[in-house]
């Protein structure tokens, strides 16, 4: 049943793409027109993110058919569907309070899925995630309260139109609260303490969902606040600085990890830092590069976590050194992991090359030469630890405890589709550009968003 539901959602999203690219679809809830009532805004940006969310969720659902053996499976399916619902709501709603509600639905599901295995480490990671995530939610809620006091509305387009009339001191307090709260959810340093434990202790399919879905919703919310709601140009500088700090610290932390899933967790944080840098450039090209990186990160990180799940299963250990020689006994899984690793470090002709190239070129165009050099440094560190793992998989003698590969069809399909997507996008990047440019323009052009929502009625 979850597979059918997610498959139908994916079909619905794909069928709406032509209409959403032509003109944003404004859905009125309960007959109350915006700005009084609640609306969904399905524009180029929303449909792009919805496509990522539903595609990855559908593939993870296929993968989970065989992989998830811990009962009750009904609880796992219900939590996954709630998480997808919350994430879709975050990227499609036009109401800031409902965005908070959807964020809470996503977060509560994520807390429960982190501790799904119900062992001591998983429970501890879930509790830690709950405490830090709740703090972020409170910050966001207080920020929304100040925005409502200052503008008298909760509709995001209406807030954007009325923001120039808001008391500047109130606006500054609101933006600080919102950035801190959403920074926790989007893994911004130093607010990302929950991420390594949550990624590594949750079941492997959930690690893929965290990287490809949960964090993307928070990044979207942060970008919408900065580009559409507030008018503080200094926020762009702040994003660039925090993004590059997040990138470098995460990459150096990943280099020191001995467990594969913790390495992937820190790598994911580093990738989010790179996305924050791209979005912080404040240019249309920077947004295109950032959205391209969001797409590629969703594909490649999902692939890496799904492949790592089987590497851990067949080796019986999360430690990287216990996976020596697995390329001989589990060739398909090791190959899938290698494609993900090569893509994430930006080797051509895989998809990760183009988004990383765009981010660096846009950074140079914006005259951030030092930032561009630091991104290259982070990429070198990233290449070192990923190539170290790939080298161990293929060039070390296999251990006695490693099981030979018996890859089920569900795992083969999900990882195979992600591998094909990484290669096809890498060979034909212009295909996704047709979706990326309209999505970036919607985020960059505040007046377009305001007119799309309020000018429709």
């Amino acid at each position: 049943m979850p597979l059918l539901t997610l498959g139908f959602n994916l079909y619905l999203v794909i069928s709406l793409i032509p209409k959403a690219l032509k003109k944003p679809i404004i859905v009125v809830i309960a007959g109350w027109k915006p700005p009084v009532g609640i609306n969904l805004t399905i524009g180029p940006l929303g449909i792009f993110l919805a496509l990522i969310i539903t595609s990855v969720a559908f593939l993870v659902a296929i993968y989970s058919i065989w992989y998830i053996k811990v009962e009750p499976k009904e609880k796992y399916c219900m939590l996954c569907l709630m998480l997808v619902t919350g994430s879709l709501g975050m990227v499609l709603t036009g109401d800031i309070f409902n965005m908070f509600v959807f964020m809470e639905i996503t977060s509560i599901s994520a807390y429960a899925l982190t501790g799904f295995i119900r062992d001591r480490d998983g429970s501890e990671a879930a509790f830690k995630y709950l405490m830090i995530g709740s703090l972020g939610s409170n910050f966001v809620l207080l920020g929304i309260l100040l925005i409502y006091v200052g503008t008298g509305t909760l509709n995001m387009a209406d807030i954007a139109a009325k923001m120039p009339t808001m008391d500047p001191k109130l606006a500054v307090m609101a933006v600080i609260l919102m950035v801190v709260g959403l920074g926790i959810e989007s893994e911004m340093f130093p607010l990302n303490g929950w991420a390594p434990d949550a990624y590594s202790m949750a079941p492997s399919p959930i690690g893929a969902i965290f990287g490809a879905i949960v964090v993307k919703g928070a990044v979207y919310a942060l970008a919408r606040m900065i580009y559409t709601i507030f008018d503080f140009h200094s926020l762009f500088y702040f994003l660039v600085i925090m993004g590059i700090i997040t990138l470098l610290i995460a990459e150096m932390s990943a280099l020191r990890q001995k467990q594969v899933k913790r390495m992937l967790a820190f790598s994911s944080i580093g990738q989010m830092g790179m996305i924050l840098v791209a979005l912080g450039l404040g240019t249309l090209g920077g947004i295109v590069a950032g959205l391209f990186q969001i797409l590629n990160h969703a594909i490649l990180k999902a692939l890496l976590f799904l492949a790592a799940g089987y590497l851990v299963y067949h080796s019986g250990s999360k430690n990287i050194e216990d996976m020596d020689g697995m390329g001989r006994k589990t060739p398909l899984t090791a190959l899938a992991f290698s494609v993900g690793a090569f893509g994430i470090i930006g080797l051509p002709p895989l998809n990760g090359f183009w988004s990383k190239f765009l981010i660096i070129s846009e950074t140079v165009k914006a005259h951030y030469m030092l930032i561009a050099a630091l991104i290259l440094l982070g990429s070198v560190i990233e290449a070192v630890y990923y190539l170290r793992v790939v080298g161990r998989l293929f060039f070390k003698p296999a251990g006695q405890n490693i099981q030979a590969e018996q890859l089920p069809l569900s795992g083969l399909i999900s990882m195979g589709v992600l591998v094909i997507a990484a290669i096809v996008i890498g060979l034909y990047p212009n295909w996704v550009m047709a979706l990326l440019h309209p999505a970036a323009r919607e985020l960059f052009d505040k007046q377009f968003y305001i007119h799309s929502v309020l000018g429709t009625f």
Side-chain angles (χ1 to χ4, degrees):
M1 185 61 74
L3 196 59
L4 291 176
T5 304
L6 293 169
F8 177 73
N9 283 342
L10 178 58
Y11 163 75
L12 199 60
V13 169
I14 292 173
S15 66
L16 287 175
I17 288 176
K19 293 181 181 177
L21 290 179
K22 188 176 180 181
K23 183 182 179 183
I25 305 166
I26 310 300
V27 181
V28 176
I29 308 295
W32 293 85
K33 297 176 181 178
V36 178
I38 299 166
N39 70 280
L40 300 178
T41 303
I42 310 172
L45 180 59
I47 204 73
F48 167 71
L49 294 171
L51 180 62
I52 293 176
I53 291 169
T54 51
S55 301
V56 173
F58 182 65
L59 291 174
V60 169
I62 294 174
Y63 181 93
S64 300
I65 291 173
W66 180 87
Y67 193 85
I68 295 298
K69 297 180 178 178
V70 178
E71 298 294 344
K73 287 186 178 180
E74 293 80 7
K75 181 180 175 183
Y76 174 84
C77 295
M78 179 193 71
L79 290 170
C80 285
L81 288 175
M82 283 178 59
L83 190 147
V84 173
T85 302
S87 301
L88 283 173
M90 282 185 72
V91 302
L92 296 180
T93 184
D95 182 284
I96 195 170
F97 182 73
N98 276 276
M99 188 181 72
F100 168 77
V101 172
F102 283 122
M103 187 179 82
E104 285 301 281
I105 293 172
T106 306
S107 299
I108 291 169
S109 310
Y111 305 149
L113 286 168
T114 301
F116 183 75
I117 298 176
R118 289 181 289 185
D119 59 358
R120 180 176 177 177
D121 291 339
S123 301
E124 185 178 330
F127 183 74
K128 187 177 180 181
Y129 188 8
L130 170 66
M131 289 293 104
I132 299 176
S134 299
L135 183 66
S137 298
N138 286 327
F139 275 104
V140 172
L141 188 58
L142 287 172
I144 292 172
L145 176 64
L146 293 182
I147 291 172
Y148 183 69
V149 169
T151 63
T153 181
L154 292 171
N155 184 277
M156 288 196 284
D158 202 30
I159 293 171
K162 293 179 178 176
M163 185 52 65
T165 65
M166 186 175 175
D167 181 352
K169 292 180 181 176
L170 211 57
V172 169
M173 290 176 62
V175 75
I176 291 173
L177 290 168
M178 295 296 289
V179 169
V180 172
L182 294 173
I184 289 175
E185 302 293 341
S186 59
E187 302 179 353
M188 183 190 297
F189 179 83
L191 310 169
N192 50 17
W194 60 270
D197 290 341
Y199 275 91
S200 57
M201 293 304 152
S204 294
I206 302 306
I209 287 179
F210 283 170
I213 297 178
V214 176
V215 182
K216 302 298 183 296
V219 169
Y220 161 79
L222 186 62
R224 182 62 83 189
M225 291 300 114
I226 292 173
Y227 277 94
T228 304
I229 304 293
F230 296 104
D231 283 316
F232 296 110
H233 196 74
S234 56
L235 279 174
F236 294 128
Y237 299 116
F238 175 78
L239 267 193
V240 170
I241 293 170
M242 295 311 299
I244 199 67
I245 292 174
T246 302
L247 169 67
L248 293 176
I249 290 181
E251 297 297 1
M252 287 188 285
S253 300
L255 184 64
R256 299 172 54 192
Q257 298 307 309
K258 295 182 179 177
Q259 293 187 355
V260 65
K261 290 173 73 175
R262 284 187 70 84
M263 185 196 80
L264 294 179
F266 279 107
S267 169
S268 185
I269 295 172
Q271 295 290 313
M272 297 316 297
M274 196 180 300
I275 291 168
L276 292 176
V277 170
L279 295 176
L281 295 177
T283 63
L284 185 60
I287 298 175
V288 171
L291 293 179
F292 203 172
Q293 183 67 12
I294 285 175
L295 170 66
N296 290 338
H297 178 255
I299 294 170
L300 296 169
K301 197 58 71 175
L303 175 60
L304 284 165
F305 268 105
L306 297 186
Y310 280 116
L311 291 178
V312 170
Y313 175 79
H314 289 297
S315 68
S317 170
K318 295 180 180 178
N319 294 329
I320 295 171
E321 62 182 15
D322 293 330
M323 298 175 183
D324 289 356
M326 291 193 71
R328 297 186 180 88
K329 295 199 173 184
T330 61
L332 293 177
T333 304
L335 180 63
F337 186 91
S338 302
V339 170
F342 294 154
I344 211 81
I345 63 180
L347 290 184
L350 297 169
N351 56 343
F353 167 77
W354 293 108
S355 55
K356 191 168 282 189
F357 173 77
L358 276 179
I359 290 176
I360 293 174
S361 62
E362 291 298 327
T363 306
V364 171
K365 286 180 185 175
H367 305 292
Y368 289 119
M369 301 300 179
L370 178 60
I371 298 296
L374 291 176
I375 291 174
L376 285 172
L377 175 62
S379 299
V380 171
I381 298 172
E382 192 175 44
V384 169
Y385 64 76
Y386 270 115
L387 293 178
R388 182 183 62 190
V389 177
V390 173
R392 280 183 170 274
L393 290 177
F394 289 99
F395 300 111
K396 289 278 187 177
Q400 297 296 323
N401 297 326
I402 295 176
Q403 302 174 28
E405 184 174 72
Q406 292 180 336
L407 195 60
L409 183 61
S410 59
L412 188 63
I413 291 173
S414 52
M415 290 192 293
V417 170
L418 291 168
V419 168
I420 292 170
I423 295 172
V424 170
I425 294 175
L427 292 174
Y428 305 101
N430 288 334
W431 288 3
V432 294
M433 284 295 178
L435 196 55
L436 287 174
H437 279 289
R441 275 196 295 272
E442 182 193 325
L443 190 60
F444 190 68
D445 189 350
K446 176 191 294 190
Q447 295 305 320
F448 171 78
Y449 180 78
I450 294 172
H451 179 74
S452 297
V453 178
L454 301 181
T456 307
F457 302 96

